[in-house]
């Protein structure tokens, strides 16, 4: 019996190859979308980690000698004893044959996670590294080293090109710097009790990791973007799988009825169908993972380029098949298929043996479920609203997203049903009336595909709005914050007054950047002293400000705070803030700050110097028409090391290029999700085509040509897609709002203003319509070319 | 003559080449006439009906309807013919499942561009369909569904009515009832009727009789 039943089940697919193909391809595409995004995500994260590690010291605080290039190794021991978690680094140029490499000597046992070498060390056999005078380098540098030095070389692709890593002892020897170290890397986690730096090592200064933080925020936002996309693509995929499976079961209702009538028990039938499904899902999932791999491989060069632009570090742009997304892809295919099958099997099991497989019976049956669906949609949307008002935390943010997503999807068929009903009631012609009525009947069969389209479209609108808003805001922010052409790092300059005098005649405007870390309103924060000139007045944009804000700050009558401080301390315009002991000033402006995790307040330079006479400017922003000439003067005449001069234009370019690349990846994913959604429409249409004939044949027999009918079929699909796309826009904007105003605030502490991009949405709608048109064309073409005999069969056979 | 069928042949593709079904059928039918077409199962009765309705194309021969050559028309022309001049009642599945009964009855007349509310109401009443107007086809019994199909066909005032065992799925009593109503209404309109039936009893109710056998009329 089992063999015969399996044979019968399989025979359906043999006879209906197109249906079989659509089921497998549908499952495969959903898996591909999911695993492709996963692959890009995982790979991007891995590459970011490698790149971040390559720049590790830039992101961790460091202790550097106050004078000169190096400090004695004893400082390290003294600081460790005093409770400082630091790790020594020696760095220098290493001649190897004709080329010079950057040699970084580290102490493997104390090097903090996140520092340059920690990623590479994690992959390495530590004993081997410590034993001989081993060097570690990327593939290219390793080749150079092998030819030039006797030391054994370990190749590790995660090491930035041109860099060599060695144990500190080995490096000191190679660099001829016995007993000396270049700097100490400060671990991000420090014990609560430690003796002050000035006591333990007065000749060492703490250099805060800054500058990199701007870029670090960008990285985080890109991660969030990819994570959100992964999440959304998962939802789209689940809907598509659900649609594919549901239709596959629907098509075989007649066969199930016959098999049961012939005496096959229901439970046996269900077990066999599940078995069949798992085999199919594994097959399709496997194909999907390969497809996803291809997609990722095509998109990945962009991701790698993003990282290269971001960090200037070389990252391997090749894709590795990671077990995580292999497995999650297969789990998605099989799990999704089973979840989808559960409801279909449940319906089959409750179907009376002799139920008709007719079209309207199906519509009526789903009408009963309609009130449950409406209730669920309302509940979810209300929950989203409630959470938005009352919820807090990142989890609430993601819960809102999920509620919106599911609620929106569930509400779609109901909204469409209402619209189609209105259309039917309003229309007067006979064909239009039939068209609307027939569309209503089609709706249950298409609704899962349309839900997938809705989600794909909404995800696109949401994510592009988020990325574009972020880009606009961030570009504005960079313009405001990086308005000076050059920044000079004065940390290593002894006579800062001399530097200022030197600059006075050469730069158009000097902005000394005075800052201390302090507590404001009981929170850790930074206090800045600013020399208020035209740069500030012209470039800064406030979230909220009083009219004469700069005048009042310049006069020492008011203070400016950033959004983080205002939010966390609950301070608004006019509230008084104790900026320094004995200095309480009203807040005259609140400024958006997207490159900074903590609170900030800005007072005039005069007030700052009065409050903190010992603090001198660690950095200067310089306005000049000719940054290149000024840079050369600083290096050649003043003797500043060129590494102390930061070209902000370059950082800005990097940051913007990150956005461009983020965009191209987002764009590609947009097109991909839409394409997959369009395919799920095609799939549904093809599957429904056979069920459609009994509905179309009478109309044809009464004198409507096949071409006309085919045209109406296309029109219907495009119309449904258009309605769906139009409904998707508000949903997508809601999603964007949640991402920008809830998730971002929770994740980063600031709220991004939301911008609208109507042209972009118009383009998306056109894209969706084109996709729907394509999807509808083939089934319609088949209908228009169908032999009359096939249509006539409708009247001749029992169905 | 309203309908002239002249030496029609038709074959269907089979596993070993074309299988002839109609081997030269000739027939004529005038307005107001009714003809019962009988024959064994598989003899090609339905096939002939489909050719006349322009639902399928013949291999050779001519079919003239109201002077127009059906076999020479393209798809559009044949569709127009069905909208305006021909009404068909099949054995089952005549109705449009997504429309309610009222819309189904009015459908063909409106398609042909000649809806006649009075006539439609009269037919609905005559066939006893008034209580069902707001229902959907699957909520009706087989006999009721066939009455709807008859009402729909007659409401469009076709000159030629084709019926393929219109009561074949019904029990004898219902079949007789429906058939009597059908024939009376057809006679009222003065249209020509070509009806396929297996039943000699029903065939006897019609004016003429033709038997299809071995692909020819006897
Ligand atoms: N689409 C088709 N493809 C191939 N052969 C067909 C097709 N339609 C009908 N036939 C064959 O043509 C012959 C005539 O069929 P037709 O339906 O006209 O018979 P019929 O006289 O109406 O029979 P019944 O009384 O059972 O309805 C049959 O042998 C049938 O097998
Ligand atoms: Mg027949």
């Amino acid at each position: 019996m089992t063999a015969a039943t399996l044979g019968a089940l399989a025979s359906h697919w043999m006879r209906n190859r197109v249906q079989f193909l659509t089921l497998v391809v549908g499952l495969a595409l959903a898996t591909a979308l999911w695993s492709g995004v996963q692959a890009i995500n995982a790979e991007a994260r891995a590459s970011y980690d490698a790149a971040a590690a390559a720049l590790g010291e830039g992101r961790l605080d460091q202790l550097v000698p106050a004078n000169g290039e190096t400090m004695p190794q004893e400082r390290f021991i003294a600081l460790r004893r005093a409770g400082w978690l630091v790790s020594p680094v020696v760095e220098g140029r290493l001649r190897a044959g004709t080329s010079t490499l950057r040699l970084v000597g580290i102490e493997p046992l104390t090097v903090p996670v996140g520092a340059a070498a920690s990623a590479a060390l994690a992959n390495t056999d530590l004993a081997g590294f410590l034993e001989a005078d081993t060097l570690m380098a990327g593939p290219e540098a390793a080749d150079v080293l092998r030819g030039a030095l006797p030391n054994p070389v370990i190749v590790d692709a995660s090491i930035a090109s041109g860099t060599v890593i060695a144990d500190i002892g080995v490096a000191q020897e190679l660099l001829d710097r016995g007993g000396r170290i270049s700097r100490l890397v400060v671990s991000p986690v420090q014990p609560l009790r430690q003796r002050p730096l000035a006591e333990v090592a007065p000749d060492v200064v703490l250099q805060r990791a800054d500058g990199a933080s701007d870029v670090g925020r960008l990285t985080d936002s890109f991660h969030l973007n990819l994570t959100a996309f992964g999440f959304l693509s998962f939802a789209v995929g689940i809907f598509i799988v659900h649609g594919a499976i549901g239709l596959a079961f629907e098509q075989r209702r007649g066969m199930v009825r016959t098999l049961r009538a012939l005496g096959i028990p229901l439970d046996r039938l269900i077990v066999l169908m599940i078995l069949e499904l798992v085999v199919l899902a594994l097959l399709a999932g496997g194909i999907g993972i390969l497809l996803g791999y291809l997609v990722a491989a095509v998109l990945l060069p962009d991701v790698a380029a993003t990282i290269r632009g971001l960090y200037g570090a070389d990252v391997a742009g090749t894709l590795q098949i990671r077990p995580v997304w292999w497995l999650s892809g297969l789990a998605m295919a099989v799990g999704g298929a089973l979840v989808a099958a559960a409801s279909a099997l449940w319906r089959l099991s409750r179907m009376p043996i002799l139920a008709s497989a007719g079209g309207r019976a199906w519509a009526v049956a789903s009408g009963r479920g309609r009130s449950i669906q409406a209730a669920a949609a309302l509940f979810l949307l209300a929950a989203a609203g409630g959470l938005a008002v009352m919820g807090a935390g990142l989890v609430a943010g993601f819960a809102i997203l999920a509620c919106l997503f599911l609620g929106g999807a569930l509400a779609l068929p109901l909204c469409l049903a209402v619209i189609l009903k209105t259309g039917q009631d309003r229309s007067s012609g006979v064909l239009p009336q039939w068209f609307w009525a027939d569309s209503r009947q089609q709706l249950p069969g298409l609704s899962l595909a349309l839900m997938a389209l809705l989600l794909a479209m909404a995800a696109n609108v949401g994510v592009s709005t988020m990325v574009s808003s972020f880009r606009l805001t961030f570009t504005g922010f960079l313009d405001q914050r990086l308005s000076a052409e050059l920044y000079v790092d004065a940390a290593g300059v002894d006579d800062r007054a001399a530097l200022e005098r030197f600059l006075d005649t050469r730069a158009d405007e000097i902005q000394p950047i005075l800052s201390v870390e302090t507590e404001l309103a009981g929170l850790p924060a930074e206090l800045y002293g600013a020399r208020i000139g035209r740069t500030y007045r012209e470039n800064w944009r406030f979230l909220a400000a009083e009219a004469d804000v700069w005048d009042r700050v310049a006069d020492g009558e008011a203070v400016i705070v950033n959004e983080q401080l205002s939010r966390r301390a609950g301070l608004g315009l006019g509230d008084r803030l104790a900026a320094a002991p004995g200095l309480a000033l009203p807040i005259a402006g609140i400024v958006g700050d997207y490159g900074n995790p903590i609170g900030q307040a800005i007072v005039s330079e005069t007030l700052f110097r009065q409050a903190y006479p010992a603090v001198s400017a660690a950095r200067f922003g310089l306005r000049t028409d000719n940054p290149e000439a000024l840079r050369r003067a600083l290096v050649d005449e003043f003797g500043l090391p060129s590494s102390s001069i930061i070209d902000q234009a370059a950082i800005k370019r990097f940051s913007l290029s990150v956005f461009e690349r983020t965009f191209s990846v987002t764009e590609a994913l947009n097109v991909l999700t839409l394409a997959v959604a369009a395919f799920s429409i095609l799939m549904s249409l093809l599957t429904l085509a056979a069920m459609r004939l009994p509905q179309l044949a009478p109309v044809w027999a009464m004198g409507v040509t096949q071409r006309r009918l085919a045209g109406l079929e296309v029109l219907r699909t495009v119309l449904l897609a258009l309605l769906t796309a139009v409904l998707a826009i508000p949903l997508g904007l809601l999603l964007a709002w949640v991402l920008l105003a809830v998730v971002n605030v929770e994740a980063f502490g600031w709220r991004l203003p939301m911008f609208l991009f109507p042209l972009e949405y118009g383009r998306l709608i056109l894209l969706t319509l084109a996709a729907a048109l394509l999807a509808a064309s083939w089934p319609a073409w088949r209908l228009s070319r169908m032999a009359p005999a096939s249509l006539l069969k409708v009247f001749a056979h029992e169905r | 003559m309203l309908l002239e069928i002249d030496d029609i042949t038709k074959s269907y593709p089979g596993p070993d080449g074309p299988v002839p079904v109609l081997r030269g059928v000739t027939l004529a039918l005038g307005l107001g006439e009714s003809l019962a077409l009988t024959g064994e199962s598989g003899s090609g009765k339905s096939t002939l009906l489909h050719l006349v309705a322009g639902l399928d194309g013949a291999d050779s021969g001519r079919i003239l309807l109201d002077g127009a050559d059906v076999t020479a028309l393209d798809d559009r022309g044949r569709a127009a013919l069905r909208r305006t001049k021909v009404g068909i009642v099949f054995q089952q599945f005549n109705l449009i499942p997504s429309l309610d009964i009222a819309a189904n009855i009015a459908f063909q007349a409106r398609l042909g561009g000649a809806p006649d509310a009075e006539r439609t109401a009269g037919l609905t009443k005559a066939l006893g369909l008034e209580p069902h107007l707001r229902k959907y086809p699957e909520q009706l019994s087989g006999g009721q569904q066939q009455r709807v199909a008859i009402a729909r066909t007659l409401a469009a005032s076709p000159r030629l009515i084709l019926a393929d065992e219109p009561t074949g799925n019904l029990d004898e009593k219902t079949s007789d009832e429906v058939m009597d109503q059908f024939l009376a209404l057809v006679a009222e309109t003065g249209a020509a009727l070509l009806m396929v039936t297996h039943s000699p009893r029903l065939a006897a109710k019609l004016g003429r009789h033709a038997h299809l056998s071995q692909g020819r009329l006897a």
Side-chain angles (χ1 to χ4, degrees), chain A residues 629-765:
Chain A
L630 185 57
R631 165 195 288 276
R632 234 175 297 125
L634 277 165
V635 174
D636 298 346
E637 296 173 35
F638 192 78
L640 206 64
S642 66
S643 62
S644 299
I645 305 167
I646 304 154
D647 182 355
Q648 294 296 8
I651 291 192
K652 211 149 110 184
R653 267 200 309 278
F654 277 155
S655 305
L656 292 182
S657 78
V658 172
F659 274 123
E660 294 318 318
R661 302 239 165 71
T662 305
F663 257 117
S664 56
V665 173
T666 310
E667 186 97 326
L669 289 178
N670 275 351
V671 172
L672 196 70
T673 33
L674 276 183
V676 172
F679 183 83
S680 86
I681 292 182
L682 170 67
M683 200 166 64
S684 310
L685 288 177
L686 285 177
T687 323
L688 287 172
M691 292 185 221
R692 293 283 296 143
L693 283 189
Q695 294 153 22
L696 295 176
V699 184
W700 168 73
M702 278 182 276
V704 179
T705 60
Q706 279 168 262
R707 283 187 53 161
R708 187 90 187 273
L709 285 175
L712 288 173
E713 292 285 290
V714 173
L715 182 66
R716 171 192 351 274
T717 309
V718 172
L719 177 80
L720 286 175
L722 176 68
L723 291 175
T724 305
V726 169
L727 289 172
I729 287 181
L731 182 64
L733 293 180
L734 267 177
L735 289 176
W737 181 82
V738 174
L739 283 171
L740 293 173
V742 180
V743 173
N744 224 347
V745 173
E746 296 300 341
F748 305 126
W750 30 262
R751 175 183 186 150
L752 275 170
M754 181 163 152
F755 297 94
L756 297 181
F757 305 89
L759 275 180
E760 175 67 9
Y761 308 147
R763 207 182 59 91
L764 271 175
I765 291 185

Side-chain angles (χ1 to χ4, degrees), chain A residues 10-24:
Chain A
S11 72
H12 177 87
W13 301 129
M14 297 296 287
R15 289 281 300 158
N16 300 281
R17 302 243 166 101
V18 174
Q19 282 178 15
F20 180 73
L21 210 70
T22 52
L23 174 64
V24 171

Side-chain angles (χ1 to χ4, degrees), chain B residues 42-76:
Chain B
S43 57
K45 306 181 293 293
S46 299
T47 302
L48 182 60
L49 218 65
H50 294 159
L51 295 182
V52 173
L55 291 169
D56 205 348
D59 295 343
S60 71
R62 289 201 316 164
I63 298 172
L64 292 178
L65 180 60
D66 237 1
D69 187 352
V70 178
T71 46
L73 289 174
D74 63 357
D75 188 45
R76 233 171 240 265

